[in-house]
């Protein structure tokens, strides 16, 4: 399958995820790439995964994708105590998902613009994907976007960021259920191939390979900037494993990356798996980090594929076991030289926000704080980059409570409450969601 088809299809027809046939080796190019800006580096890296868009066009799409970022460095690095924080939240919706979804919007518009096709994008969101996907797709004449989110389980501002968008091609669906329910609905609907075909369904979630490609760039950028002779480690607040999986690919490409610290909240299915080799679903716990209130991480399957030496049969069996019983186990314990993993509870998250603020004046959002708390648990010799995945103003209740002062603001969010908002309540039911797409989709 070519890159364009991979982008349009999202999930593979058999319900699996797409991976590249080969991972490019960039070791020989690293020296020449030192000192490149984020966008210049993106223009080198993204084309390595795209064989069917003319290079000149692709470079333009990449440049256009980052014009709406408000920081000149796009993903600035800043020193906070002993660690370097990489801020990924300077895009239009103030979360790291903009880095990939601004590019994905450009790519969708480009591919569809060369045909007369229309697409209906279906997304499931625990909060931030929804607004970032909408910001990437709003106003596109050949796209309608449907965003399912768990009703009452995303923050007030996150909901307003989605529902105050007035463009006619944006449809928000408040689902009576959890984020895992939304993700399941999506999987089921994508599994109905006749429906998928008839309504040209596309995916904006990180199951879409293009998102992973875009995210590889900031790992590369930071590792080149800080690495020099010594590889760099990253600490990544993790939910669906999309972000950290891009770091894993960047490492495999040959960028100077040592370890990836996987930081989860109390939904610790992944942290437990790395310790024990047992992958077991539990009940979702609701925390101050809603973007990570996930039990089943959709992108994890991609990592398992590589871990199982690219054996698709072994992987299918593992995933089938898990789908059936909510539990699956590896034949051998999962040891990985690539990953460290730990889970951070709500108390630790809030006290980390407070401590970081008191010692350095830095205001971290709760997701970022999960990473900062996790990073403290490991004594590493190499430089460490903690990824800051959201602006603190997206989660003012938790941040202000932790700090004990009103410190979390952003002008883009201050006037949201006065705007008109629009959403449709739906039950967590496949037919109900399909009906909405049948009636509003084109
Ligand atoms: C989506 C999100 C995460 C989790 O990222 P994954 O790719 O799902 O692991 C972490 N923090 C914030 C703020 C997010 O929006």
């Amino acid at each position: 399958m070519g890159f364009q088809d991979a982008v349009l299809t999202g999930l593979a027809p058999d319900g699996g995820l797409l991976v590249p046939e080969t991972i490019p080796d960039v070791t020989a190019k690293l020296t020449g790439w030192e000192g490149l800006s984020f966008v210049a580096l993106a223009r080198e890296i993204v084309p390595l995964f795209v064989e069917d868009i003319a290079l000149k066009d692709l470079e333009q799409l990449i440049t256009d994708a980052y014009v709406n970022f408000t920081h000149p460095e796009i993903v600035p690095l800043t020193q906070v105590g002993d660690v370097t924080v990489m801020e990924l939240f300077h895009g239009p919706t103030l979360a790291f998902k903009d880095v990939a979804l601004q590019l994905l919007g450009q790519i969708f518009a480009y591919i569809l613009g060369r045909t007369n096709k229309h697409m209906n994008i279906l997304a499931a969101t625990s909060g931030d994907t929804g607004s970032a996907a909408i910001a990437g797709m709003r106003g596109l004449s050949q796209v309608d976007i449907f965003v399912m989110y768990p009703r009452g389980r995303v923050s007030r501002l996150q909901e307003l960021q989605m529902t105050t968008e007035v463009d006619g091609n944006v449809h928000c669906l408040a689902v009576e259920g959890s984020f895992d329910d939304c993700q399941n609905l999506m999987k089921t609907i994508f599994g109905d191939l006749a429906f998928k075909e008839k309504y040209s369904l596309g995916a904006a979630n990180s199951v879409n390979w293009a998102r992973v490609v875009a995210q590889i760039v900031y790992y590369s950028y930071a590792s080149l900037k800080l690495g020099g002779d010594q590889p760099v480690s990253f600490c990544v607040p993790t939910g669906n494993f999309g972000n950290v999986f891009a770091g894993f690919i960047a490492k495999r490409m040959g960028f100077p990356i040592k370890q990836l610290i996987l930081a989860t909240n109390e939904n610790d299915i992944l942290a437990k798996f790395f310790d024990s080799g047992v992958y077991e679903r539990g009940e979702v716990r609701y925390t101050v980090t809603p973007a990570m209130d996930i039990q089943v991480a959709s992108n994890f399957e991609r990592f398992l594929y590589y871990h199982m030496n690219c054996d698709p049969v072994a992987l299918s069996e593992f995933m089938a076991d898990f789908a059936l019983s909510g539990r699956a186990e590896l034949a051998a314990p999962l040891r990985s030289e690539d990953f460290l993993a730990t889970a951070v509870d709500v108390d630790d998250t809030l006290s980390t926000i407070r401590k970081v603020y008191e010692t350095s004046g830095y205001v971290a959002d709760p997701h970022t704080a999960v990473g900062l708390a996790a990073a403290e648990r490991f004594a590493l010799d190499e430089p460490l980059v903690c990824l800051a995945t959201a602006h603190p103003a997206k989660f003012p209740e938790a941040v202000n409570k932790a700090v004990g002062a009103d410190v979390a603001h952003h002008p883009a969010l201050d006037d949201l409450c006065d705007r008109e908002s629009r959403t449709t309540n739906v039950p967590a039911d496949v037919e109900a969601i399909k009906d909405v797409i049948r009636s509003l989709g084109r």
Side-chain angles (χ1 to χ4, degrees), residues 229-436:
D229 321 328
Q230 208 187 11
V232 178
S233 285
F234 287 88
C235 185
V236 189
T238 294
N240 250 330
F241 206 82
N243 192 351
V244 73
F245 180 71
F248 173 76
I249 297 288
K251 179 175 177 174
R252 288 233 162 174
M253 290 169 75
F255 286 100
I257 295 171
K258 188 156 181 217
Q259 276 181 314
L260 300 161
I261 301 177
L262 186 155
T264 71
N265 65 18
E266 292 167 21
N267 295 283
D268 57 357
I269 173 170
L270 288 174
K272 280 198 180 134
F273 185 52
F274 278 91
D275 286 345
S276 68
V278 177
Y279 192 46
E280 184 163 23
R281 177 165 46 208
E283 283 293 308
V284 183
R285 300 180 67 158
Y286 295 101
T287 69
V288 292
T289 44
M292 292 155 60
D293 289 344
I294 296 171
Q295 283 288 320
V296 183
S298 59
N299 258 282
F300 193 58
E301 197 173 331
R302 284 193 168 117
F303 164 71
L304 281 177
Y305 173 73
Y306 290 103
H307 182 75
M308 294 176 172
N309 297 317
C310 305
D311 178 349
V313 177
L315 176 62
S316 301
E317 283 169 4
F318 184 92
M319 294 309 295
D321 273 358
F322 183 70
L324 209 63
S325 66
R327 184 182 195 281
E329 197 169 341
L330 289 179
L334 184 134
R335 263 189 232 100
S336 167
E337 57 207 49
D338 301 317
F339 286 96
L340 295 167
T342 189
V344 176
D345 67 18
V346 170
D347 284 348
D348 213 359
T349 306
L350 295 177
S351 65
T352 299
I353 296 175
R354 181 169 56 247
K355 198 172 61 193
V356 168
Y357 181 71
E358 282 169 359
T359 55
S360 67
Y362 191 77
V363 183
D365 106 281
H367 303 79
T368 306
V370 165
L372 294 169
E376 266 190 8
R377 298 180 186 171
F378 302 97
L380 305 179
D381 295 328
E382 68 277 8
L384 178 65
V385 179
C386 285
L387 299 186
T389 51
H391 190 286
K394 282 195 100 161
F395 305 94
E397 292 86 357
V399 173
N400 293 340
K401 178 177 163 206
V403 169
D406 190 9
V407 292
H409 278 287
H410 191 284
L413 299 178
D414 286 342
D415 71 333
L416 275 182
C417 305
D418 306 329
R419 292 210 220 141
E420 194 181 325
S421 91
R422 178 163 72 85
T423 191
T424 307
N425 292 331
V426 282
D429 174 72
V430 170
E431 280 310 311
I433 308 286
K434 282 183 175 170
D435 276 344
V436 175

